[in-house]
Amino acid sequence: MPQSLEYLKETPSQTAGPYVHIGLAPGAAGFDIYKQELGWDIAGPNARGERIRVEGLVIDGTGSPVKDVLLEAWQANADGIYAHPEHAGAVEEGFRGWGRVITDFTTGEWGFDTVKPGAVPGRNGAVQAPHINLWIVARGINVGLNTRLYFEDETEANAADPVINMIEWENRRQTLIAKRNEKDGKVVYRFVIRLQGENETVFFDI
């Protein structure tokens, strides 16, 4: 006689707990393990292009800064090429294109230094505007959130970007745009991520 199939139950999800920093950013948690914290050097010393700093906050539904967030960033180099074995020799020595930062436990501010990425080839011949991919985890977030940071001064490229144009509500597209300014002679892009409420940042289901 036919046997009945047994289905495994889904493993329950769990938010990122207090040990996320010990495991992924031990230096910030007070553990001196590495000479240099993993993921803090995104571009390396040999990367071409405009040197920039990216700074921001993560804001919760009450309008308060979230102070225990971990963010990971992926980006292409100034030529629009990602660091990947298939692109060996096409990116500068030392360019990782990936980084990991945490928010300040007191202020909630986060930031990293890198180079401004170039436009990236997309599907079907489309070109994606310069951007940085961000992944956000914190206590209270069951599944990591994926979003993108685009640059205010890339108006034409942003208007033609296929991902931005997938967002039906045009007013929400602005939640992905980082504002450009200068601080102490350095170009700084400010990007505020809003988890809930008015002007909630667009997150992608990846």
Side-chain angles (χ1 to χ4, degrees):
M1 58 182 297
Q3 294 181 341
S4 60
L5 296 176
E6 292 186 9
Y7 294 94
L8 298 177
K9 294 182 179 180
E10 180 180 356
T11 301
S13 61
Q14 183 174 342
T15 65
Y19 297 107
V20 66
H21 297 102
I22 296 175
L24 298 179
F31 294 88
D32 186 13
I33 298 175
Y34 305 114
K35 291 182 179 179
Q36 184 174 4
E37 196 83 347
L38 180 64
W40 282 21
D41 188 5
I42 296 177
N46 302 314
R48 297 181 295 274
E50 182 182 23
R51 294 278 169 173
I52 64 171
R53 179 163 179 81
V54 178
E55 297 179 343
L57 286 168
V58 178
I59 304 295
D60 66 15
T62 69
S64 302
V66 184
K67 300 176 182 178
D68 63 346
V69 178
L70 182 142
L71 301 96
E72 290 191 352
W74 293 269
Q75 68 164 86
N77 68 0
D79 297 323
I81 303 173
Y82 282 93
H84 189 277
E86 293 181 357
H87 303 150
V91 298
E92 304 88 333
E93 182 180 356
F95 179 85
R96 296 174 60 91
W98 173 84
R100 176 185 290 157
V101 296
I102 64 169
T103 51
D104 183 275
F105 293 145
T106 302
T107 65
E109 289 277 345
W110 58 268
F112 56 84
D113 297 304
T114 185
V115 295
K116 188 177 180 182
V120 179
R123 295 179 179 178
N124 302 319
V127 177
Q128 300 181 49
H131 65 275
I132 298 175
N133 303 288
L134 296 173
W135 181 68
I136 303 120
V137 292
R139 282 182 287 182
I141 298 177
N142 283 332
V143 179
L145 301 174
N146 293 279
T147 190
R148 282 187 170 191
L149 177 159
Y150 290 86
F151 300 92
E152 179 183 43
D153 51 339
E154 297 286 348
T155 307
E156 292 186 10
N158 292 340
D161 182 85
V163 175
I164 289 181
N165 282 298
M166 290 174 59
I167 303 169
E168 182 177 357
W169 299 277
E170 293 189 15
N171 62 312
R172 297 206 61 210
R173 299 175 185 178
Q174 293 302 311
T175 67
L176 302 182
I177 307 299
K179 307 299 183 182
R180 179 183 174 116
N181 56 73
E182 289 194 11
K183 183 189 297 184
D184 300 326
K186 178 178 289 189
V187 174
V188 177
Y189 288 91
R190 182 80 177 173
F191 189 59
V192 177
I193 300 167
R194 299 184 182 276
L195 300 179
Q196 290 179 321
E198 187 176 359
N199 297 319
E200 176 184 328
T201 299
V202 171
F203 300 105
F204 299 100
D205 186 9
I206 298 178

